Amino acid sequence: MFRGGMKSPFSAFVIITLVALFAGAVYYLFFSSGEEYLGKQLTLPGGKIYSASNCIDSDENLGSEAYYNKGGVSEKLPDGTRATTYDYCSGSEGQVSEQVCKSSLGGNGKLTRSQNISNCPYGCSDGACLKSPVSANTAKSSYLEPIGWTDGNAKFEVTGAELGKISAPPNLVSYEKGVSYPQGSEINALVLTLRVMTDKSGCVPLDTRRVLDEAGNMVSPNTKSFSFPDSGGCFAKEKTTYSNQRVIFVVPESMSDFIISTGGQEDIYIEVVLENNSLRILNLSQPVPGN
């Protein structure tokens, strides 16, 4: 033993080892240049500050390309739970609200959620700027009969339509083997624009279908589900109105007349027909005057 209160070499080694392990853990949590979290490799602004308890931006590593990608920010709330806010379109679909992580006031390095609102030169769809312009040959609705219905926890209204070449938004699904619609690729589509008004919170169903033939066969839209800014998906808040919800059907270029079933309690049938380079939207389920 050592006299005069000196510790043994073994005790000193243990203390040094523990201090080194603690320092390594602190560096790993707060100063690593990238971190595997929720299956994504993340590099935060500045390349050094990171904390699993603060703020995580899913597409920060994309740089300027993030505006063409629908991402989201996950942030730890004061009660210890996490909340995710997704990118969404704003300004009548001409802007994107890009969710980002920024250093909080005071310069303590803590990251908190913020947002950058940017103009989209070619428009915005489903939380991402479009990379190319909509074709000049795209026809838009010039005549619209009142069309409204109820489905699940929400009421719906058709507010417009367009037909022609568009840039594919994220997450379109395909029902043809070997066919896909990458984001930004050019597709020929019929696009219905809906206003969705919720009564209760929950997932809002997308039951709209396109009628294929006189036998009544139908196909679902290539839009997999609604994409609300609160959740990035079909989950909506109660007593909330969501405008400009786009429902996309990829269609052959030769088609100019479409029958749509709304689904829901009323299951209204709609005709969308191209006439003189504009679209007429007709409610086939309303009574004919004089009958």
Side-chain angles (χ1 to χ4, degrees), residues 131-153:
K131 285 190 172 184
S132 58
V134 173
S135 169
N137 294 325
T138 299
K140 295 188 177 182
S141 52
S142 60
Y143 177 82
L144 170 63
E145 294 181 347
I147 301 169
W149 69 98
T150 302
D151 192 1
N153 58 339

Side-chain angles (χ1 to χ4, degrees), residues 57-59 66-73 84-102 113-120 123-130 227-230 232:
D57 183 353
S58 67
D59 57 6
Y67 294 99
Y68 303 105
N69 179 75
K70 181 180 179 179
V73 163
T84 300
T85 305
Y86 294 89
D87 304 335
Y88 61 91
C89 298
S90 59
S92 298
E93 305 298 298
Q95 297 176 318
V96 64
S97 178
E98 179 74 17
Q99 307 303 302
V100 296
C101 292
K102 290 185 177 180
R113 183 182 67 82
S114 183
Q115 62 182 1
N116 294 331
I117 297 180
S118 299
N119 292 325
C120 297
C124 180
S125 178
D126 193 22
C129 288
L130 299 176
S227 181
F228 301 121
D230 317 278

Side-chain angles (χ1 to χ4, degrees), residues 189-208:
L190 171 67
V191 183
L192 293 180
T193 305
L194 307 182
R195 180 183 296 117
V196 181
M197 299 156 286
T198 63
D199 181 31
K200 300 178 181 179
S201 62
C203 180
V204 177
L206 177 53
D207 292 330
T208 306

Side-chain angles (χ1 to χ4, degrees), residues 138-254:
T138 299
K140 295 188 177 182
S141 52
S142 60
Y143 177 82
L144 170 63
E145 294 181 347
I147 301 169
W149 69 98
T150 302
D151 192 1
N153 58 339
K155 294 181 179 179
F156 304 82
E157 293 177 357
V158 177
T159 58
E162 61 182 277
L163 173 66
K165 301 286 187 179
I166 66 170
S167 179
N171 304 319
L172 285 187
V173 297
S174 173
Y175 303 106
E176 299 180 54
K177 186 176 181 180
V179 176
S180 62
Y181 308 110
Q183 180 180 345
S185 62
E186 187 178 75
I187 58 174
N188 194 74
L190 171 67
V191 183
L192 293 180
T193 305
L194 307 182
R195 180 183 296 117
V196 181
M197 299 156 286
T198 63
D199 181 31
K200 300 178 181 179
S201 62
C203 180
V204 177
L206 177 53
D207 292 330
T208 306
R209 302 289 185 266
R210 182 168 72 88
V211 180
L212 297 178
D213 51 42
E214 293 182 358
N217 294 307
M218 300 186 186
V219 65
S220 299
N222 299 92
T223 305
K224 186 176 181 180
S225 68
F226 287 111
S227 181
F228 301 121
D230 317 278
S231 63
C234 69
F235 192 88
K237 294 181 178 179
E238 65 176 344
K239 307 295 183 182
T240 303
T241 298
Y242 300 94
S243 300
N244 299 315
Q245 290 296 307
R246 288 155 57 94
V247 179
I248 297 176
F249 295 90
V250 178
V251 297
E253 294 184 36
S254 59

Side-chain angles (χ1 to χ4, degrees), residues 5-24:
M6 296 183 64
K7 300 182 182 297
S8 70
F10 178 75
S11 299
F13 174 76
V14 171
I15 293 173
I16 292 173
T17 301
L18 292 176
V19 170
L21 289 174
F22 177 77

